[in-house]
Coordinates of all heavy atoms in Angstrom, one line a residue:
M86 N 0.8 -1.2 0.0 CA 0.0 0.0 0.0 C 0.9 1.2 0.0 O 1.9 1.3 0.7 CB -0.9 0.1 1.3 CG -1.9 -1.0 1.4 SD -2.6 -0.8 3.0 CE -4.3 -0.9 2.5
S87 N 0.5 2.2 -0.7 CA 1.2 3.5 -0.8 C 0.5 4.5 0.2 O -0.7 4.5 0.3 CB 1.3 4.0 -2.2 OG 0.0 4.4 -2.6
K88 N 1.4 5.3 0.8 CA 0.8 6.3 1.7 C 0.5 7.5 0.8 O 1.3 8.0 0.1 CB 1.9 6.7 2.7 CG 2.2 5.6 3.7 CD 3.2 6.1 4.7 CE 3.5 5.0 5.7 NZ 4.5 5.5 6.7
G89 N -0.8 8.0 1.0 CA -1.2 9.2 0.3 C -0.9 10.4 1.1 O -0.8 10.4 2.3
K90 N -0.7 11.5 0.5 CA -0.4 12.8 1.2 C -1.7 13.3 1.7 O -2.8 13.2 1.1 CB 0.2 13.8 0.2 CG 1.6 13.4 -0.2 CD 2.3 14.6 -0.9 CE 3.7 14.3 -1.1 NZ 4.4 15.4 -1.7
S91 N -1.6 13.9 2.9 CA -2.7 14.5 3.5 C -3.2 15.7 2.6 O -2.4 16.5 2.1 CB -2.4 15.0 4.9 OG -3.4 15.8 5.4
S92 N -4.5 16.0 2.6 CA -5.0 17.1 1.8 C -4.8 18.4 2.5 O -4.8 19.5 1.9 CB -6.4 16.9 1.4 OG -7.2 16.8 2.6
K93 N -4.6 18.4 3.8 CA -4.4 19.6 4.6 C -2.9 19.9 4.7 O -2.1 19.1 5.0 CB -4.9 19.5 6.0 CG -6.4 19.3 6.1 CD -6.8 19.2 7.6 CE -8.3 19.1 7.7 NZ -8.7 19.0 9.2
P94 N -2.5 21.2 4.3 CA -1.1 21.5 4.4 C -0.8 21.7 5.9 O -1.6 22.1 6.7 CB -1.0 22.9 3.7 CG -2.4 23.4 3.8 CD -3.4 22.2 3.8
K95 N 0.4 21.3 6.2 CA 0.9 21.5 7.6 C 1.2 22.9 7.9 O 1.7 23.7 7.0 CB 2.2 20.7 7.8 CG 2.0 19.2 7.7 CD 3.3 18.5 8.0 CE 3.2 17.0 7.9 NZ 4.4 16.3 8.2
P96 N 0.9 23.4 9.1 CA 1.2 24.8 9.4 C 2.7 25.0 9.4 O 3.4 24.2 9.8 CB 0.6 25.0 10.8 CG 0.2 23.7 11.3 CD 0.2 22.7 10.2
A97 N 3.1 26.2 9.0 CA 4.5 26.5 8.9 C 5.0 26.7 10.3 O 4.4 27.2 11.2 CB 4.7 27.8 8.1
A98 N 6.3 26.3 10.5 CA 7.0 26.5 11.7 C 7.1 28.0 12.0 O 7.2 28.8 11.0 CB 8.3 25.8 11.7
P99 N 7.1 28.4 13.3 CA 7.2 29.8 13.5 C 8.4 30.6 12.8 O 8.2 31.7 12.3 CB 7.4 29.9 15.1 CG 6.8 28.6 15.5 CD 7.0 27.6 14.5
S100 N 9.6 30.0 12.8 CA 10.7 30.7 12.2 C 10.4 30.7 10.7 O 10.8 31.7 10.0 CB 12.0 30.0 12.5 OG 12.0 28.7 12.0
R101 N 9.9 29.7 10.1 CA 9.6 29.7 8.6 C 8.5 30.8 8.3 O 8.6 31.4 7.3 CB 9.1 28.3 8.2 CG 8.8 28.3 6.7 CD 9.0 26.9 6.1 NE 8.4 26.7 4.9 CZ 8.8 27.3 3.7 NH1 9.8 28.1 3.7 NH2 8.2 27.0 2.6
L102 N 7.5 30.9 9.2 CA 6.5 31.8 9.0 C 7.1 33.3 9.1 O 6.7 34.1 8.3 CB 5.4 31.7 10.1 CG 4.1 32.4 10.0 CD1 3.4 31.9 8.7 CD2 3.3 32.2 11.2
F103 N 8.0 33.5 10.0 CA 8.6 34.8 10.1 C 9.4 35.1 8.9 O 9.4 36.2 8.4 CB 9.6 34.8 11.4 CG 10.3 36.1 11.6 CD1 9.7 37.1 12.3 CD2 11.5 36.3 11.0 CE1 10.3 38.3 12.5 CE2 12.2 37.6 11.2 CZ 11.6 38.6 12.0
D104 N 10.2 34.1 8.4 CA 10.9 34.2 7.2 C 10.1 34.6 6.0 O 10.4 35.5 5.2 CB 11.7 33.0 6.8 CG 12.9 32.7 7.8 OD1 13.2 33.6 8.6 OD2 13.4 31.6 7.9
Q105 N 8.9 33.9 5.9 CA 8.0 34.2 4.8 C 7.5 35.7 4.9 O 7.4 36.4 3.9 CB 6.8 33.3 4.8 CG 7.2 31.9 4.4 CD 6.0 30.9 4.5 OE1 5.1 31.1 5.3 NE2 6.1 29.8 3.8
A106 N 7.1 36.1 6.1 CA 6.6 37.4 6.3 C 7.7 38.5 6.0 O 7.4 39.5 5.4 CB 6.1 37.6 7.7
R107 N 8.9 38.2 6.4 CA 10.0 39.1 6.2 C 10.2 39.3 4.7 O 10.4 40.4 4.2 CB 11.3 38.6 6.8 CG 12.5 39.5 6.6 CD 13.8 38.7 6.8 NE 13.9 37.6 5.8 CZ 14.3 36.4 6.1 NH1 14.8 36.1 7.2 NH2 14.3 35.5 5.1
D108 N 10.2 38.1 4.0 CA 10.4 38.2 2.5 C 9.3 39.0 1.8 O 9.6 39.8 0.9 CB 10.5 36.8 1.9 CG 11.8 36.1 2.4 OD1 12.7 36.7 2.9 OD2 11.8 34.8 2.1
E109 N 8.1 38.8 2.3 CA 7.0 39.5 1.7 C 7.1 41.0 2.0 O 6.8 41.9 1.2 CB 5.6 39.0 2.2 CG 4.5 39.6 1.6 CD 3.1 38.9 1.9 OE1 3.1 37.8 2.3 OE2 2.1 39.6 1.7
L110 N 7.5 41.3 3.2 CA 7.7 42.8 3.6 C 8.7 43.4 2.7 O 8.5 44.5 2.2 CB 8.1 42.9 5.1 CG 8.5 44.3 5.6 CD1 7.3 45.2 5.5 CD2 9.0 44.2 7.0
F111 N 9.9 42.8 2.5 CA 10.9 43.4 1.7 C 10.4 43.5 0.2 O 10.7 44.5 -0.4 CB 12.2 42.5 1.7 CG 12.9 42.6 3.0 CD1 14.0 41.8 3.3 CD2 12.7 43.6 4.0 CE1 14.7 41.9 4.5 CE2 13.4 43.7 5.2 CZ 14.4 42.8 5.4
S112 N 9.7 42.5 -0.2 CA 9.1 42.6 -1.6 C 8.2 43.8 -1.7 O 8.2 44.6 -2.7 CB 8.4 41.3 -1.9 OG 7.8 41.4 -3.1
H113 N 7.3 44.0 -0.7 CA 6.4 45.2 -0.7 C 7.2 46.5 -0.7 O 6.8 47.4 -1.3 CB 5.5 45.1 0.5 CG 4.3 44.2 0.4 ND1 3.4 44.2 -0.6 CD2 4.0 43.1 1.2 CE1 2.6 43.2 -0.4 NE2 2.9 42.5 0.6
I114 N 8.2 46.5 0.1 CA 9.1 47.8 0.2 C 9.6 48.1 -1.2 O 9.5 49.3 -1.6 CB 10.2 47.6 1.2 CG1 9.7 47.6 2.7 CG2 11.2 48.7 1.1 CD1 10.7 47.2 3.7
L115 N 10.1 47.1 -1.9 CA 10.7 47.4 -3.2 C 9.6 47.8 -4.2 O 9.8 48.7 -5.0 CB 11.5 46.2 -3.7 CG 12.7 45.9 -2.8 CD1 13.4 44.6 -3.3 CD2 13.7 47.0 -3.0
R116 N 8.5 47.1 -4.2 CA 7.4 47.4 -5.2 C 6.7 48.7 -4.9 O 6.3 49.3 -5.9 CB 6.4 46.2 -5.1 CG 6.8 45.0 -5.9 CD 5.6 44.1 -6.2 NE 4.6 44.1 -5.0 CZ 4.5 43.0 -4.2 NH1 5.3 42.0 -4.4 NH2 3.6 43.1 -3.2
C117 N 6.6 49.1 -3.7 CA 5.7 50.3 -3.4 C 6.5 51.6 -3.4 O 5.9 52.6 -3.2 CB 5.1 50.1 -2.0 SG 3.9 48.7 -2.0
G118 N 7.8 51.6 -3.5 CA 8.6 52.8 -3.6 C 8.8 53.5 -2.2 O 9.0 54.7 -2.2
V119 N 8.7 52.7 -1.2 CA 8.8 53.3 0.2 C 10.2 53.8 0.4 O 10.4 54.8 1.2 CB 8.5 52.2 1.2 CG1 8.6 52.7 2.6 CG2 7.1 51.7 1.0
L120 N 11.2 53.3 -0.3 CA 12.6 53.8 -0.1 C 12.7 55.3 -0.4 O 13.5 56.0 0.3 CB 13.5 53.0 -0.9 CG 13.7 51.5 -0.6 CD1 14.5 50.8 -1.6 CD2 14.3 51.3 0.8
E121 N 11.9 55.8 -1.3 CA 12.1 57.2 -1.7 C 11.0 58.1 -1.0 O 11.0 59.3 -1.2 CB 11.8 57.3 -3.2 CG 12.9 56.7 -4.1 CD 12.7 55.2 -4.3 OE1 11.5 54.8 -4.3 OE2 13.6 54.5 -4.5
A122 N 10.2 57.5 -0.1 CA 9.1 58.3 0.5 C 9.7 59.1 1.7 O 10.7 58.8 2.2 CB 8.1 57.3 1.0
A123 N 9.0 60.1 2.0 CA 9.3 60.9 3.2 C 9.1 60.1 4.5 O 8.4 59.1 4.5 CB 8.4 62.2 3.3
Q124 N 9.8 60.5 5.5 CA 9.8 59.8 6.8 C 8.4 59.6 7.3 O 8.0 58.5 7.8 CB 10.6 60.5 7.8 CG 11.0 59.7 9.1 CD 12.1 58.7 8.8 OE1 12.8 58.8 7.8 NE2 12.1 57.7 9.7
T125 N 7.5 60.6 7.3 CA 6.2 60.5 7.8 C 5.3 59.6 6.9 O 4.5 58.8 7.5 CB 5.5 61.9 7.8 OG1 5.5 62.5 6.5 CG2 6.1 62.8 8.8
D126 N 5.6 59.6 5.6 CA 4.9 58.6 4.7 C 5.3 57.2 5.0 O 4.5 56.3 4.9 CB 5.1 59.0 3.3 CG 4.4 60.4 2.9 OD1 3.4 60.7 3.6 OD2 4.9 61.0 2.0
Q127 N 6.6 57.0 5.3 CA 7.1 55.7 5.6 C 6.4 55.1 6.8 O 6.0 54.0 6.9 CB 8.6 55.7 5.8 CG 9.4 55.7 4.5 CD 10.9 55.7 4.7 OE1 11.4 55.5 5.8 NE2 11.7 55.7 3.6
K128 N 6.3 56.0 7.8 CA 5.7 55.6 9.1 C 4.3 55.1 8.9 O 3.8 54.0 9.3 CB 5.7 56.7 10.1 CG 5.1 56.2 11.5 CD 4.9 57.4 12.4 CE 4.2 57.0 13.7 NZ 3.1 56.1 13.6
E129 N 3.5 55.9 8.1 CA 2.1 55.5 7.8 C 2.1 54.2 7.0 O 1.2 53.4 7.3 CB 1.5 56.7 7.0 CG 0.0 56.4 6.7 CD -0.6 57.6 6.0 OE1 -0.2 58.8 6.2 OE2 -1.6 57.4 5.2
W130 N 3.0 54.1 6.0 CA 3.0 52.9 5.2 C 3.3 51.7 6.1 O 2.7 50.6 6.0 CB 4.1 53.0 4.1 CG 4.1 51.9 3.2 CD1 3.3 51.8 2.0 CD2 4.9 50.7 3.3 NE1 3.6 50.6 1.4 CE2 4.6 49.9 2.2 CE3 5.8 50.3 4.2 CZ2 5.1 48.7 2.0 CZ3 6.4 49.0 4.0 CH2 6.1 48.2 2.9
F131 N 4.3 51.8 7.0 CA 4.6 50.7 7.9 C 3.5 50.3 8.8 O 3.2 49.2 9.1 CB 5.9 51.0 8.7 CG 7.1 50.6 8.0 CD1 7.9 51.5 7.3 CD2 7.5 49.2 7.9 CE1 9.1 51.1 6.7 CE2 8.6 48.8 7.2 CZ 9.4 49.8 6.6
D132 N 2.7 51.4 9.3 CA 1.6 51.1 10.2 C 0.6 50.2 9.4 O 0.1 49.2 10.0 CB 0.9 52.4 10.6 CG 1.7 53.2 11.6 OD1 2.7 52.7 12.2 OD2 1.4 54.4 11.7
D133 N 0.2 50.6 8.2 CA -0.7 49.9 7.4 C -0.2 48.5 7.0 O -1.0 47.5 7.1 CB -1.1 50.6 6.1 CG -1.8 51.9 6.4 OD1 -2.4 52.1 7.5 OD2 -1.8 52.8 5.5
T134 N 1.0 48.4 6.6 CA 1.6 47.1 6.2 C 1.7 46.1 7.3 O 1.5 44.9 7.1 CB 2.9 47.4 5.5 OG1 2.7 48.3 4.4 CG2 3.5 46.1 4.9
M135 N 2.1 46.6 8.5 CA 2.3 45.7 9.6 C 0.9 45.2 10.1 O 0.8 44.0 10.5 CB 3.0 46.4 10.8 CG 4.4 46.8 10.4 SD 5.4 45.6 9.5 CE 5.5 44.2 10.7
E136 N -0.1 46.0 10.0 CA -1.5 45.5 10.3 C -1.9 44.4 9.3 O -2.4 43.4 9.7 CB -2.5 46.7 10.2 CG -3.9 46.3 10.5 CD -4.8 47.5 10.5 OE1 -4.4 48.6 10.5 OE2 -6.0 47.2 10.4
Y137 N -1.6 44.6 8.0 CA -1.9 43.6 7.0 C -1.1 42.3 7.2 O -1.7 41.2 7.2 CB -1.5 44.2 5.6 CG -1.4 43.1 4.5 CD1 -2.5 42.5 4.0 CD2 -0.1 42.7 4.1 CE1 -2.4 41.6 3.0 CE2 0.0 41.7 3.1 CZ -1.1 41.2 2.6 OH -1.0 40.2 1.6
L138 N 0.2 42.4 7.5 CA 1.0 41.2 7.8 C 0.5 40.5 9.0 O 0.6 39.3 9.1 CB 2.5 41.6 7.9 CG 3.2 42.0 6.6 CD1 4.6 42.5 6.8 CD2 3.2 40.9 5.5
G139 N 0.1 41.2 10.0 CA -0.4 40.6 11.2 C -1.7 39.8 11.0 O -1.9 38.7 11.5
E140 N -2.5 40.3 10.0 CA -3.7 39.5 9.6 C -3.4 38.3 8.7 O -3.9 37.3 8.9 CB -4.7 40.5 8.9 CG -5.3 41.5 9.8 CD -6.1 42.6 9.1 OE1 -6.2 42.5 7.8 OE2 -6.6 43.5 9.7
R141 N -2.4 38.6 7.8 CA -2.0 37.5 6.9 C -1.3 36.4 7.6 O -1.5 35.2 7.2 CB -1.2 38.1 5.8 CG -0.7 37.2 4.7 CD -0.3 37.9 3.5 NE 0.4 37.1 2.6 CZ 0.0 36.1 1.8 NH1 -1.3 35.9 1.8 NH2 0.8 35.5 1.0
Y142 N -0.4 36.7 8.5 CA 0.4 35.7 9.2 C -0.1 35.7 10.7 O 0.6 36.2 11.5 CB 1.9 36.0 9.1 CG 2.4 36.0 7.6 CD1 2.4 37.1 6.9 CD2 2.8 34.8 7.1 CE1 2.9 37.1 5.6 CE2 3.2 34.7 5.8 CZ 3.3 35.9 5.0 OH 3.7 35.8 3.7
E143 N -1.2 35.1 10.9 CA -1.8 35.1 12.2 C -0.9 34.4 13.3 O -1.0 34.7 14.5 CB -3.2 34.4 12.2 CG -4.2 35.2 11.4 CD -5.5 34.4 11.3 OE1 -5.6 33.2 11.7 OE2 -6.5 35.0 10.8
G144 N 0.0 33.5 12.9 CA 0.8 32.8 13.8 C 2.0 33.6 14.4 O 2.7 33.1 15.3
L145 N 2.2 34.8 13.9 CA 3.3 35.7 14.4 C 2.8 36.4 15.6 O 1.7 36.9 15.8 CB 3.7 36.7 13.3 CG 4.3 36.2 12.0 CD1 4.6 37.3 11.1 CD2 5.6 35.4 12.4
S146 N 3.7 36.4 16.6 CA 3.5 37.1 17.9 C 3.6 38.6 17.7 O 4.3 39.1 16.7 CB 4.5 36.6 18.9 OG 5.8 37.1 18.6
P147 N 3.1 39.4 18.6 CA 3.4 40.9 18.5 C 4.9 41.2 18.5 O 5.3 42.1 17.8 CB 2.7 41.4 19.8 CG 1.6 40.4 20.1 CD 2.2 39.1 19.7
R148 N 5.7 40.4 19.2 CA 7.1 40.6 19.2 C 7.7 40.3 17.8 O 8.6 41.1 17.3 CB 7.8 39.7 20.2 CG 9.3 39.7 20.3 CD 9.8 41.1 20.8 NE 11.2 41.1 20.7 CZ 11.9 42.2 20.7 NH1 11.3 43.4 20.9 NH2 13.2 42.2 20.6
D149 N 7.2 39.3 17.1 CA 7.7 39.0 15.7 C 7.3 40.2 14.8 O 8.2 40.5 14.0 CB 7.0 37.7 15.2 CG 7.5 36.5 15.9 OD1 8.6 36.4 16.4 OD2 6.7 35.5 15.9
L150 N 6.1 40.7 15.0 CA 5.7 41.8 14.1 C 6.6 43.1 14.4 O 6.9 43.8 13.5 CB 4.2 42.1 14.3 CG 3.3 41.1 13.8 CD1 1.9 41.4 14.2 CD2 3.4 41.0 12.3
A151 N 6.9 43.3 15.7 CA 7.8 44.4 16.0 C 9.2 44.2 15.4 O 9.8 45.1 14.9 CB 7.9 44.6 17.5
D152 N 9.7 43.0 15.4 CA 11.0 42.7 14.8 C 11.0 42.9 13.3 O 11.9 43.4 12.7 CB 11.4 41.2 15.2 CG 11.8 41.0 16.6 OD1 12.0 42.1 17.4 OD2 11.9 39.9 17.1
L153 N 9.9 42.4 12.7 CA 9.7 42.6 11.2 C 9.7 44.1 10.9 O 10.4 44.5 9.9 CB 8.4 42.0 10.8 CG 8.4 40.6 10.5 CD1 7.0 40.1 10.1 CD2 9.3 40.2 9.3
R154 N 9.0 44.9 11.7 CA 9.0 46.3 11.4 C 10.3 46.9 11.5 O 10.8 47.8 10.7 CB 8.0 47.0 12.3 CG 7.9 48.5 12.0 CD 6.8 49.2 12.9 NE 6.7 50.6 12.5 CZ 5.6 51.2 12.2 NH1 4.4 50.5 12.4 NH2 5.5 52.4 11.8
Q155 N 11.1 46.5 12.6 CA 12.4 47.1 12.8 C 13.3 46.7 11.6 O 14.1 47.6 11.1 CB 13.0 46.5 14.1 CG 14.3 47.1 14.4 CD 14.9 46.6 15.8 OE1 14.6 45.5 16.2 NE2 15.6 47.5 16.4
L156 N 13.2 45.5 11.1 CA 14.0 45.1 10.0 C 13.7 45.9 8.7 O 14.6 46.4 8.0 CB 13.8 43.6 9.6 CG 14.4 42.6 10.6 CD1 14.0 41.2 10.2 CD2 16.0 42.7 10.5
G157 N 12.4 46.1 8.5 CA 11.9 46.9 7.4 C 12.4 48.4 7.5 O 12.8 49.0 6.5
E158 N 12.3 48.9 8.7 CA 12.7 50.3 8.8 C 14.2 50.5 8.6 O 14.6 51.5 8.0 CB 12.3 50.9 10.2 CG 10.8 51.1 10.3 CD 10.3 51.4 11.7 OE1 11.0 51.2 12.7 OE2 9.1 51.9 11.8
R159 N 15.0 49.5 9.1 CA 16.4 49.6 8.9 C 16.7 49.5 7.4 O 17.6 50.2 6.9 CB 17.1 48.5 9.6 CG 17.2 48.7 11.1 CD 18.0 47.6 11.7 NE 18.1 47.7 13.1 CZ 18.5 46.7 13.9 NH1 18.9 45.6 13.4 NH2 18.5 46.9 15.2
Y160 N 16.0 48.6 6.7 CA 16.2 48.4 5.3 C 15.9 49.7 4.5 O 16.6 50.0 3.5 CB 15.3 47.3 4.8 CG 15.5 46.9 3.4 CD1 16.6 46.1 3.0 CD2 14.6 47.3 2.4 CE1 16.7 45.8 1.7 CE2 14.7 46.9 1.1 CZ 15.8 46.2 0.7 OH 16.0 45.8 -0.6
C161 N 15.0 50.5 5.0 CA 14.7 51.8 4.3 C 15.6 53.0 4.7 O 15.5 54.0 4.0 CB 13.2 52.2 4.7 SG 12.0 51.1 3.9
Q162 N 16.4 52.8 5.6 CA 17.3 53.9 6.0 C 18.4 54.1 4.9 O 18.9 53.2 4.3 CB 18.1 53.6 7.3 CG 17.1 53.6 8.5 CD 17.9 53.3 9.8 OE1 19.0 52.8 9.8 NE2 17.2 53.5 10.9
P163 N 18.7 55.4 4.6 CA 19.7 55.7 3.6 C 21.1 55.2 4.0 O 21.4 55.2 5.2 CB 19.7 57.2 3.5 CG 19.1 57.7 4.7 CD 18.2 56.6 5.3
V164 N 21.8 54.8 3.0 CA 23.2 54.3 3.3 C 24.1 55.6 3.5 O 24.0 56.5 2.7 CB 23.7 53.5 2.1 CG1 25.1 53.1 2.3 CG2 22.8 52.3 1.9
I165 N 24.9 55.6 4.5 CA 25.9 56.7 4.7 C 27.1 56.3 3.9 O 27.7 55.3 4.1 CB 26.2 56.8 6.2 CG1 24.9 57.1 6.9 CG2 27.3 57.9 6.4 CD1 25.1 57.1 8.4
S166 N 27.5 57.2 3.0 CA 28.6 57.0 2.1 C 29.9 57.2 3.0 O 29.9 57.9 4.0 CB 28.7 57.9 0.9 OG 29.0 59.2 1.3
R167 N 30.9 56.5 2.6 CA 32.2 56.6 3.3 C 32.7 58.0 3.3 O 33.2 58.5 4.3 CB 33.2 55.7 2.6 CG 34.5 55.6 3.3 CD 35.5 54.6 2.7 NE 36.8 54.8 3.2 CZ 37.4 54.1 4.1 NH1 36.7 53.1 4.6 NH2 38.6 54.3 4.5
N168 N 32.6 58.8 2.2 CA 33.1 60.1 2.2 C 32.3 61.0 3.2 O 33.0 61.9 3.8 CB 32.9 60.7 0.8 CG 33.8 60.0 -0.2 OD1 34.9 59.5 0.2 ND2 33.5 60.1 -1.5
E169 N 31.0 60.9 3.3 CA 30.3 61.7 4.3 C 30.8 61.4 5.7 O 30.9 62.2 6.5 CB 28.8 61.4 4.2 CG 28.2 62.0 2.9 CD 26.7 61.6 2.8 OE1 26.1 61.3 3.9 OE2 26.2 61.6 1.7
N170 N 31.0 60.1 6.0 CA 31.4 59.7 7.3 C 32.8 60.2 7.6 O 33.1 60.6 8.7 CB 31.4 58.1 7.4 CG 31.4 57.6 8.8 OD1 31.1 58.3 9.7 ND2 31.7 56.3 8.9
D171 N 33.7 60.2 6.6 CA 35.1 60.7 6.8 C 35.1 62.2 7.1 O 35.9 62.7 7.8 CB 36.0 60.4 5.6 CG 36.3 58.9 5.5 OD1 36.1 58.2 6.5 OD2 36.7 58.5 4.4
Q172 N 34.2 62.9 6.5 CA 34.1 64.4 6.6 C 33.7 64.8 8.0 O 34.1 65.8 8.5 CB 33.2 65.0 5.6 CG 33.7 65.0 4.2 CD 32.7 65.4 3.2 OE1 31.6 65.8 3.6 NE2 33.0 65.4 1.9
Q173 N 32.9 63.9 8.7 CA 32.4 64.2 10.0 C 33.5 64.0 11.1 O 33.4 64.5 12.2 CB 31.2 63.4 10.3 CG 30.0 63.8 9.5 CD 28.8 62.9 9.7 OE1 28.9 61.9 10.5 NE2 27.8 63.1 9.0
K174 N 34.5 63.2 10.8 CA 35.6 62.9 11.8 C 36.5 64.0 11.9 O 36.8 64.7 10.9 CB 36.3 61.6 11.4 CG 35.5 60.4 11.4 CD 36.3 59.2 11.1 CE 35.5 57.9 11.1 NZ 36.2 56.7 10.7
E175 N 37.0 64.2 13.1 CA 38.0 65.3 13.3 C 39.4 64.7 13.0 O 39.7 63.5 13.3 CB 38.0 65.7 14.8 CG 38.8 66.9 15.1 CD 38.6 67.4 16.5 OE1 37.4 67.4 16.9 OE2 39.6 67.7 17.2
P176 N 40.2 65.4 12.3 CA 41.6 64.9 11.9 C 42.4 64.6 13.2 O 42.2 65.2 14.2 CB 42.2 66.1 11.2 CG 41.1 67.0 10.8 CD 40.0 66.8 11.8
V177 N 43.2 63.6 13.1 CA 44.1 63.2 14.2 C 45.0 64.3 14.5 O 45.6 65.0 13.6 CB 44.9 61.9 13.8 CG1 45.8 61.5 14.9 CG2 43.9 60.8 13.5
G178 N 45.2 64.6 15.8 CA 46.1 65.7 16.2 C 45.4 67.1 16.2 O 46.1 68.0 16.5
A179 N 44.2 67.2 15.8 CA 43.5 68.5 15.8 C 43.2 68.9 17.2 O 42.9 68.1 18.0 CB 42.2 68.4 14.9
G180 N 43.4 70.2 17.4 CA 43.0 70.7 18.7 C 44.2 70.6 19.7 O 44.0 70.9 20.9
N181 N 45.3 70.2 19.4 CA 46.5 70.1 20.3 C 47.4 71.3 20.1 O 47.7 71.8 19.2 CB 47.3 68.8 20.0 CG 46.5 67.6 20.5 OD1 45.6 67.7 21.4 ND2 46.8 66.5 20.0

């Protein structure tokens, strides 16, 4: 006798669920143009998107959703170029 597969999909493990939600969040960020949005618009977008992800991925805890938001917000932060960073440093020996 052969074993048939169950018709019900198994629920995703919590870490896998988090990974799926994270990937979907990053995909939304890239598709929606959030990277170029003003800070206030980004906040509003994240509020709406995190509510959506919380409904879509019911197995995620509030802590998971907070972690997802933090990852997304970090992803949207502008990169500081090396030249800008070097200009802010005080030269060695200055002020002596």
Side-chain angles (χ1 to χ4, degrees):
M86 295 175 131
S87 67
K88 293 183 180 181
K90 289 190 175 184
S91 172
S92 61
K93 292 182 181 179
K95 292 183 180 181
S100 63
R101 178 150 166 73
L102 192 63
F103 182 89
D104 292 345
Q105 289 174 339
R107 181 203 59 220
D108 293 347
E109 185 169 342
L110 174 62
F111 287 167
S112 177
H113 283 301
I114 289 170
L115 293 173
R116 280 196 321 256
C117 295
V119 178
L120 295 171
E121 294 84 25
Q124 194 76 18
T125 55
D126 294 333
Q127 282 184 1
K128 183 192 176 311
E129 183 179 331
W130 185 89
F131 271 103
D132 291 343
D133 294 341
T134 302
M135 297 316 297
E136 182 179 341
Y137 162 77
L138 289 174
E140 293 171 1
R141 180 160 163 78
Y142 296 95
E143 293 176 351
L145 293 176
S146 70
R148 177 69 184 160
D149 290 334
L150 291 171
D152 290 346
L153 277 175
R154 184 177 185 131
Q155 185 178 29
L156 286 172
E158 288 173 343
R159 283 184 186 169
Y160 185 76
C161 289
Q162 290 177 351
V164 178
I165 299 173
S166 74
R167 182 177 169 100
N168 291 336
E169 289 176 23
N170 198 16
D171 288 343
Q172 290 174 359
Q173 293 176 359
K174 292 182 182 177
E175 191 172 313
V177 176
N181 288 336

